[in-house]
Amino acid sequence: MTRASIFLGIAAIAAFAAPSQAQLNDQWASFTKDAARLPAGPGSVSTPDTEVDFAWGDLDKDGDIDVIAVRKEHYTSPGRRTNILLMNEGGILVDRTSTLATASDVPGDNGFLTPTNDRDVVFADFDGDGWLDVITATTLSDGLSKALGHPRIHMNLGNDGSGNWLGLRYEESRIPQLLHYGTGLPENPRFCSVAAGDVTGNGLPDLYFGDYDSSGSSGSGQPANKDLNDRLLINDGNGFFTDQSQLRMTTAMLKSAFGNSVVIADFNGDGVNDVLKDTSLNAPQFVAISYNDPSNPGMFNIFDDFHNFAPYHTSEGDLNNDGRLDIIISDDGADRFRVNTGNDAFGRVSWTSAQTFEFAAGSDDGFASNNLVVDLNNDGWNDVIICDVDVDIPSYTRRVHIYHNRTTVVGQNTLSLREEKELSGSGGWHGVVGMNKSDMTGTHDVAVFDLDQDGDNDILISRQAGTFVWMNNSTPPTPCGFTKYGIGASAANILDLTATGSGSVGSALTLTTTGVTAPSVFQLVSGAQASAPILGGILLIAQSAQLIPMSTIAASAGQSVWNIHVPANPNLAGVPVYIQTIALEAALPGGFAFSNGVELVICP
């Protein structure tokens, strides 16, 4: 099926689909645009004819998340652009490209300031030195030098002797010259995607690149004697790579028409990383996993193309909090997701049927692209963002969609992922409070991370109209739960105290102490921590701040169990409580045995 026929079918899909019309104005997440967070201005990153793809991580190890934007002329074209390094300086994204990302080991090359046709980018520590490095995927660079036409690794230079970050340096020799398997001749690839992850088990990331032959609405293909297909590059342990694609994978695994997205992750939970890819536009057109053989890591022995339709980008993440990786799939028709329910007899993931997203009002608007699984409202459940600008076919008429994960049951396989909306028509906010339709059209990519270190995820959104920072207005979650402290504080601190329960206001919690030889114990609860020598042991709670009188609890079979109730007062959320057990112990010099302490920060 061509993209043209798919496009004609979108109206039919929208007409026959029955989107869930639900309660409007569910203000589950709220964001505010903040121009001061990107002082160079919205046009400094994206322009009307520039495609952008983001990667983010802490490059200089200062505790803040930094961003790289790789850029090219929009759509399937050979036009090159420079890349951008945005350093997070106190919650402000500052362009430091010219000072920290221009080093290169190629004469005349200026690192990020050398125009390239980069379509994707990821961070990984390739040489194991503890610093994140950068790899880009280059495309449509026929006839250019290897330095311009091959994936570009920019190594992290770390700090100088005074603790100042030295930036990134492009190092050409780390990526080998790629050869056509049939002709044996050197060729520049047409890569659309890259993923980094350890597939061999040596602890360092390898690389997988998704290739594309097809381009344009006509589906015209790259000549067979130029087509490199997907490639698997193996890390030698020092950050230098060799092409071992055909040694480790089959022809079917490496074949792509438009390899728009790839992921390296352990999907079936067998301890070795697999490769997920989305190939689209023309045959082959599916989402598939190449499974890594756990008995021979790095060799891929099972290929499973399990999802069809018209997929156009995929990402992974746990959508139902069961610890398994689920997937979301952008589609030329209705976007979808599948839930990982475990493995079949062959070790492949057993997926649910393809589920579609819900809408408080409206419906899917067709072609989509980059997508992301991320928690936007700090409720512990991952939400979904799906961008709209097709990297191949020109159009800026659609918008990004943000889906609220309304699932509440851990392990549930039929999920509720819904685009919330203020009003039933085109007005009001869409997806999240604060974003109107005009704020969301023509979106290439999003980066989602905690920009200002206040405990919630903010959004950097790159659109045809410019790049903008949206700050999360959510109240950060109250840190809460149980923590043991003071274990083995003295030779007399030999009892083991453990607390279980939710720790939330209005709930019950159980305090269990083991190692008791006496018929009873003394239980102490205080509003402050201490470390005071007493009776041969260390008292780990402050007697002067006791919240309730010391309680005597019976012990049996070497343990005591005390069930207490947290008052149902919402004002107690975030309040710390400190607990300790003491018991008579004639065998000890002071005559008493002490436990460790338990800190409870009361949960909402």
Side-chain angles (χ1 to χ4, degrees), residues 7 75 365 388-389 394-399 437 441-442 464:
F7 180 78
Y75 305 124
D365 56 359
D388 61 280
V389 176
S395 177
Y396 289 111
T397 61
R398 299 175 300 274
R399 64 175 174 83
K437 187 176 181 179
T441 56
Q464 182 202 28

mmCIF file with all atom_site columns, all heavy atoms in Angstrom, residues 7 75 365 388-389 394-399 437 441-442 464:
data_model
loop_
_atom_site.group_PDB
_atom_site.id
_atom_site.type_symbol
_atom_site.label_atom_id
_atom_site.label_alt_id
_atom_site.label_comp_id
_atom_site.label_asym_id
_atom_site.label_entity_id
_atom_site.label_seq_id
_atom_site.pdbx_PDB_ins_code
_atom_site.Cartn_x
_atom_site.Cartn_y
_atom_site.Cartn_z
_atom_site.occupancy
_atom_site.B_iso_or_equiv
_atom_site.pdbx_formal_charge
_atom_site.auth_seq_id
_atom_site.auth_comp_id
_atom_site.auth_asym_id
_atom_site.auth_atom_id
_atom_site.pdbx_PDB_model_num
ATOM 1   N N   . PHE A 1 7   ? -3.311 7.780  2.797  1.00 0.00 ? 7   PHE A N   1
ATOM 2   C CA  . PHE A 1 7   ? -3.814 9.118  3.061  1.00 0.00 ? 7   PHE A CA  1
ATOM 3   C C   . PHE A 1 7   ? -5.297 9.216  2.713  1.00 0.00 ? 7   PHE A C   1
ATOM 4   O O   . PHE A 1 7   ? -6.101 9.769  3.455  1.00 0.00 ? 7   PHE A O   1
ATOM 5   C CB  . PHE A 1 7   ? -3.017 10.149 2.259  1.00 0.00 ? 7   PHE A CB  1
ATOM 6   C CG  . PHE A 1 7   ? -3.474 11.565 2.479  1.00 0.00 ? 7   PHE A CG  1
ATOM 7   C CD1 . PHE A 1 7   ? -3.101 12.237 3.626  1.00 0.00 ? 7   PHE A CD1 1
ATOM 8   C CD2 . PHE A 1 7   ? -4.279 12.207 1.557  1.00 0.00 ? 7   PHE A CD2 1
ATOM 9   C CE1 . PHE A 1 7   ? -3.517 13.538 3.844  1.00 0.00 ? 7   PHE A CE1 1
ATOM 10  C CE2 . PHE A 1 7   ? -4.708 13.502 1.775  1.00 0.00 ? 7   PHE A CE2 1
ATOM 11  C CZ  . PHE A 1 7   ? -4.322 14.177 2.914  1.00 0.00 ? 7   PHE A CZ  1
ATOM 12  N N   . TYR A 1 75  ? 12.013 16.747 5.588  1.00 0.00 ? 75  TYR A N   1
ATOM 13  C CA  . TYR A 1 75  ? 11.537 15.692 4.692  1.00 0.00 ? 75  TYR A CA  1
ATOM 14  C C   . TYR A 1 75  ? 12.690 14.938 4.029  1.00 0.00 ? 75  TYR A C   1
ATOM 15  O O   . TYR A 1 75  ? 13.846 15.079 4.419  1.00 0.00 ? 75  TYR A O   1
ATOM 16  C CB  . TYR A 1 75  ? 10.538 16.266 3.683  1.00 0.00 ? 75  TYR A CB  1
ATOM 17  C CG  . TYR A 1 75  ? 9.406  16.986 4.376  1.00 0.00 ? 75  TYR A CG  1
ATOM 18  C CD1 . TYR A 1 75  ? 9.105  18.313 4.083  1.00 0.00 ? 75  TYR A CD1 1
ATOM 19  C CD2 . TYR A 1 75  ? 8.664  16.346 5.365  1.00 0.00 ? 75  TYR A CD2 1
ATOM 20  C CE1 . TYR A 1 75  ? 8.082  18.979 4.753  1.00 0.00 ? 75  TYR A CE1 1
ATOM 21  C CE2 . TYR A 1 75  ? 7.644  17.001 6.029  1.00 0.00 ? 75  TYR A CE2 1
ATOM 22  C CZ  . TYR A 1 75  ? 7.361  18.312 5.723  1.00 0.00 ? 75  TYR A CZ  1
ATOM 23  O OH  . TYR A 1 75  ? 6.352  18.954 6.395  1.00 0.00 ? 75  TYR A OH  1
ATOM 24  N N   . ASP A 1 365 ? -5.759 12.131 13.879 1.00 0.00 ? 365 ASP A N   1
ATOM 25  C CA  . ASP A 1 365 ? -5.752 12.940 12.663 1.00 0.00 ? 365 ASP A CA  1
ATOM 26  C C   . ASP A 1 365 ? -4.764 12.433 11.615 1.00 0.00 ? 365 ASP A C   1
ATOM 27  O O   . ASP A 1 365 ? -4.331 13.179 10.738 1.00 0.00 ? 365 ASP A O   1
ATOM 28  C CB  . ASP A 1 365 ? -5.472 14.411 12.973 1.00 0.00 ? 365 ASP A CB  1
ATOM 29  C CG  . ASP A 1 365 ? -4.175 14.625 13.735 1.00 0.00 ? 365 ASP A CG  1
ATOM 30  O OD1 . ASP A 1 365 ? -3.493 13.628 14.038 1.00 0.00 ? 365 ASP A OD1 1
ATOM 31  O OD2 . ASP A 1 365 ? -3.849 15.785 14.033 1.00 0.00 ? 365 ASP A OD2 1
ATOM 32  N N   . ASP A 1 388 ? 3.630  14.686 15.172 1.00 0.00 ? 388 ASP A N   1
ATOM 33  C CA  . ASP A 1 388 ? 2.805  14.598 13.968 1.00 0.00 ? 388 ASP A CA  1
ATOM 34  C C   . ASP A 1 388 ? 3.548  14.768 12.654 1.00 0.00 ? 388 ASP A C   1
ATOM 35  O O   . ASP A 1 388 ? 3.044  14.356 11.611 1.00 0.00 ? 388 ASP A O   1
ATOM 36  C CB  . ASP A 1 388 ? 1.703  15.655 14.034 1.00 0.00 ? 388 ASP A CB  1
ATOM 37  C CG  . ASP A 1 388 ? 2.242  17.068 14.102 1.00 0.00 ? 388 ASP A CG  1
ATOM 38  O OD1 . ASP A 1 388 ? 2.644  17.475 15.203 1.00 0.00 ? 388 ASP A OD1 1
ATOM 39  O OD2 . ASP A 1 388 ? 2.255  17.768 13.074 1.00 0.00 ? 388 ASP A OD2 1
ATOM 40  N N   . VAL A 1 389 ? 4.728  15.385 12.627 1.00 0.00 ? 389 VAL A N   1
ATOM 41  C CA  . VAL A 1 389 ? 5.361  15.681 11.344 1.00 0.00 ? 389 VAL A CA  1
ATOM 42  C C   . VAL A 1 389 ? 6.011  14.433 10.779 1.00 0.00 ? 389 VAL A C   1
ATOM 43  O O   . VAL A 1 389 ? 6.972  13.898 11.336 1.00 0.00 ? 389 VAL A O   1
ATOM 44  C CB  . VAL A 1 389 ? 6.389  16.813 11.461 1.00 0.00 ? 389 VAL A CB  1
ATOM 45  C CG1 . VAL A 1 389 ? 7.104  17.016 10.129 1.00 0.00 ? 389 VAL A CG1 1
ATOM 46  C CG2 . VAL A 1 389 ? 5.709  18.107 11.873 1.00 0.00 ? 389 VAL A CG2 1
ATOM 47  N N   . PRO A 1 394 ? 5.676  15.954 3.017  1.00 0.00 ? 394 PRO A N   1
ATOM 48  C CA  . PRO A 1 394 ? 5.440  17.321 3.495  1.00 0.00 ? 394 PRO A CA  1
ATOM 49  C C   . PRO A 1 394 ? 4.019  17.538 4.005  1.00 0.00 ? 394 PRO A C   1
ATOM 50  O O   . PRO A 1 394 ? 3.051  17.206 3.327  1.00 0.00 ? 394 PRO A O   1
ATOM 51  C CB  . PRO A 1 394 ? 5.704  18.183 2.254  1.00 0.00 ? 394 PRO A CB  1
ATOM 52  C CG  . PRO A 1 394 ? 6.605  17.359 1.400  1.00 0.00 ? 394 PRO A CG  1
ATOM 53  C CD  . PRO A 1 394 ? 6.173  15.942 1.625  1.00 0.00 ? 394 PRO A CD  1
ATOM 54  N N   . SER A 1 395 ? 3.910  18.070 5.219  1.00 0.00 ? 395 SER A N   1
ATOM 55  C CA  . SER A 1 395 ? 2.648  18.540 5.786  1.00 0.00 ? 395 SER A CA  1
ATOM 56  C C   . SER A 1 395 ? 2.899  19.025 7.205  1.00 0.00 ? 395 SER A C   1
ATOM 57  O O   . SER A 1 395 ? 3.548  18.339 7.999  1.00 0.00 ? 395 SER A O   1
ATOM 58  C CB  . SER A 1 395 ? 1.582  17.448 5.812  1.00 0.00 ? 395 SER A CB  1
ATOM 59  O OG  . SER A 1 395 ? 0.415  17.940 6.429  1.00 0.00 ? 395 SER A OG  1
ATOM 60  N N   . TYR A 1 396 ? 2.376  20.207 7.509  1.00 0.00 ? 396 TYR A N   1
ATOM 61  C CA  . TYR A 1 396 ? 2.432  20.747 8.864  1.00 0.00 ? 396 TYR A CA  1
ATOM 62  C C   . TYR A 1 396 ? 1.030  21.074 9.382  1.00 0.00 ? 396 TYR A C   1
ATOM 63  O O   . TYR A 1 396 ? 0.844  21.982 10.177 1.00 0.00 ? 396 TYR A O   1
ATOM 64  C CB  . TYR A 1 396 ? 3.306  22.008 8.901  1.00 0.00 ? 396 TYR A CB  1
ATOM 65  C CG  . TYR A 1 396 ? 4.775  21.733 8.720  1.00 0.00 ? 396 TYR A CG  1
ATOM 66  C CD1 . TYR A 1 396 ? 5.437  22.140 7.572  1.00 0.00 ? 396 TYR A CD1 1
ATOM 67  C CD2 . TYR A 1 396 ? 5.511  21.072 9.704  1.00 0.00 ? 396 TYR A CD2 1
ATOM 68  C CE1 . TYR A 1 396 ? 6.800  21.902 7.397  1.00 0.00 ? 396 TYR A CE1 1
ATOM 69  C CE2 . TYR A 1 396 ? 6.864  20.820 9.550  1.00 0.00 ? 396 TYR A CE2 1
ATOM 70  C CZ  . TYR A 1 396 ? 7.499  21.235 8.389  1.00 0.00 ? 396 TYR A CZ  1
ATOM 71  O OH  . TYR A 1 396 ? 8.840  20.991 8.234  1.00 0.00 ? 396 TYR A OH  1
ATOM 72  N N   . THR A 1 397 ? 0.039  20.327 8.931  1.00 0.00 ? 397 THR A N   1
ATOM 73  C CA  . THR A 1 397 ? -1.348 20.632 9.277  1.00 0.00 ? 397 THR A CA  1
ATOM 74  C C   . THR A 1 397 ? -1.847 19.870 10.492 1.00 0.00 ? 397 THR A C   1
ATOM 75  O O   . THR A 1 397 ? -2.911 20.196 11.018 1.00 0.00 ? 397 THR A O   1
ATOM 76  C CB  . THR A 1 397 ? -2.266 20.326 8.087  1.00 0.00 ? 397 THR A CB  1
ATOM 77  O OG1 . THR A 1 397 ? -2.167 18.927 7.758  1.00 0.00 ? 397 THR A OG1 1
ATOM 78  C CG2 . THR A 1 397 ? -1.870 21.154 6.866  1.00 0.00 ? 397 THR A CG2 1
ATOM 79  N N   . ARG A 1 398 ? -1.136 18.826 10.908 1.00 0.00 ? 398 ARG A N   1
ATOM 80  C CA  . ARG A 1 398 ? -1.587 18.037 12.051 1.00 0.00 ? 398 ARG A CA  1
ATOM 81  C C   . ARG A 1 398 ? -0.949 18.579 13.336 1.00 0.00 ? 398 ARG A C   1
ATOM 82  O O   . ARG A 1 398 ? -0.244 19.579 13.323 1.00 0.00 ? 398 ARG A O   1
ATOM 83  C CB  . ARG A 1 398 ? -1.219 16.565 11.827 1.00 0.00 ? 398 ARG A CB  1
ATOM 84  C CG  . ARG A 1 398 ? -1.884 15.970 10.585 1.00 0.00 ? 398 ARG A CG  1
ATOM 85  C CD  . ARG A 1 398 ? -1.407 14.545 10.329 1.00 0.00 ? 398 ARG A CD  1
ATOM 86  N NE  . ARG A 1 398 ? 0.031  14.465 10.121 1.00 0.00 ? 398 ARG A NE  1
ATOM 87  C CZ  . ARG A 1 398 ? 0.628  14.653 8.946  1.00 0.00 ? 398 ARG A CZ  1
ATOM 88  N NH1 . ARG A 1 398 ? -0.097 14.956 7.874  1.00 0.00 ? 398 ARG A NH1 1
ATOM 89  N NH2 . ARG A 1 398 ? 1.933  14.563 8.834  1.00 0.00 ? 398 ARG A NH2 1
ATOM 90  N N   . ARG A 1 399 ? -1.163 17.877 14.453 1.00 0.00 ? 399 ARG A N   1
ATOM 91  C CA  . ARG A 1 399 ? -0.612 18.336 15.726 1.00 0.00 ? 399 ARG A CA  1
ATOM 92  C C   . ARG A 1 399 ? -0.158 17.156 16.566 1.00 0.00 ? 399 ARG A C   1
ATOM 93  O O   . ARG A 1 399 ? -0.531 15.998 16.316 1.00 0.00 ? 399 ARG A O   1
ATOM 94  C CB  . ARG A 1 399 ? -1.649 19.159 16.508 1.00 0.00 ? 399 ARG A CB  1
ATOM 95  C CG  . ARG A 1 399 ? -2.880 18.364 16.913 1.00 0.00 ? 399 ARG A CG  1
ATOM 96  C CD  . ARG A 1 399 ? -3.808 19.199 17.779 1.00 0.00 ? 399 ARG A CD  1
ATOM 97  N NE  . ARG A 1 399 ? -5.054 18.505 18.064 1.00 0.00 ? 399 ARG A NE  1
ATOM 98  C CZ  . ARG A 1 399 ? -5.212 17.609 19.039 1.00 0.00 ? 399 ARG A CZ  1
ATOM 99  N NH1 . ARG A 1 399 ? -4.189 17.300 19.822 1.00 0.00 ? 399 ARG A NH1 1
ATOM 100 N NH2 . ARG A 1 399 ? -6.378 17.023 19.237 1.00 0.00 ? 399 ARG A NH2 1
ATOM 101 N N   . LYS A 1 437 ? -4.479 24.198 20.575 1.00 0.00 ? 437 LYS A N   1
ATOM 102 C CA  . LYS A 1 437 ? -4.186 23.556 19.299 1.00 0.00 ? 437 LYS A CA  1
ATOM 103 C C   . LYS A 1 437 ? -3.072 24.268 18.557 1.00 0.00 ? 437 LYS A C   1
ATOM 104 O O   . LYS A 1 437 ? -2.204 23.636 17.949 1.00 0.00 ? 437 LYS A O   1
ATOM 105 C CB  . LYS A 1 437 ? -5.458 23.506 18.459 1.00 0.00 ? 437 LYS A CB  1
ATOM 106 C CG  . LYS A 1 437 ? -5.323 22.719 17.171 1.00 0.00 ? 437 LYS A CG  1
ATOM 107 C CD  . LYS A 1 437 ? -6.660 22.632 16.447 1.00 0.00 ? 437 LYS A CD  1
ATOM 108 C CE  . LYS A 1 437 ? -6.529 21.819 15.161 1.00 0.00 ? 437 LYS A CE  1
ATOM 109 N NZ  . LYS A 1 437 ? -7.831 21.714 14.455 1.00 0.00 ? 437 LYS A NZ  1
ATOM 110 N N   . THR A 1 441 ? 0.723  22.294 16.661 1.00 0.00 ? 441 THR A N   1
ATOM 111 C CA  . THR A 1 441 ? 0.775  21.905 15.257 1.00 0.00 ? 441 THR A CA  1
ATOM 112 C C   . THR A 1 441 ? 2.206  21.840 14.737 1.00 0.00 ? 441 THR A C   1
ATOM 113 O O   . THR A 1 441 ? 3.070  22.599 15.163 1.00 0.00 ? 441 THR A O   1
ATOM 114 C CB  . THR A 1 441 ? -0.026 22.885 14.391 1.00 0.00 ? 441 THR A CB  1
ATOM 115 O OG1 . THR A 1 441 ? 0.466  24.215 14.615 1.00 0.00 ? 441 THR A OG1 1
ATOM 116 C CG2 . THR A 1 441 ? -1.493 22.826 14.725 1.00 0.00 ? 441 THR A CG2 1
ATOM 117 N N   . GLY A 1 442 ? 2.429  20.929 13.793 1.00 0.00 ? 442 GLY A N   1
ATOM 118 C CA  . GLY A 1 442 ? 3.719  20.831 13.122 1.00 0.00 ? 442 GLY A CA  1
ATOM 119 C C   . GLY A 1 442 ? 4.863  20.496 14.046 1.00 0.00 ? 442 GLY A C   1
ATOM 120 O O   . GLY A 1 442 ? 5.897  21.157 14.038 1.00 0.00 ? 442 GLY A O   1
ATOM 121 N N   . GLN A 1 464 ? 7.615  23.333 13.541 1.00 0.00 ? 464 GLN A N   1
ATOM 122 C CA  . GLN A 1 464 ? 7.950  24.153 12.382 1.00 0.00 ? 464 GLN A CA  1
ATOM 123 C C   . GLN A 1 464 ? 7.970  25.635 12.766 1.00 0.00 ? 464 GLN A C   1
ATOM 124 O O   . GLN A 1 464 ? 8.784  26.411 12.262 1.00 0.00 ? 464 GLN A O   1
ATOM 125 C CB  . GLN A 1 464 ? 6.932  23.937 11.258 1.00 0.00 ? 464 GLN A CB  1
ATOM 126 C CG  . GLN A 1 464 ? 7.236  24.734 9.996  1.00 0.00 ? 464 GLN A CG  1
ATOM 127 C CD  . GLN A 1 464 ? 6.018  24.942 9.124  1.00 0.00 ? 464 GLN A CD  1
ATOM 128 O OE1 . GLN A 1 464 ? 4.892  24.978 9.619  1.00 0.00 ? 464 GLN A OE1 1
ATOM 129 N NE2 . GLN A 1 464 ? 6.225  25.067 7.817  1.00 0.00 ? 464 GLN A NE2 1
#
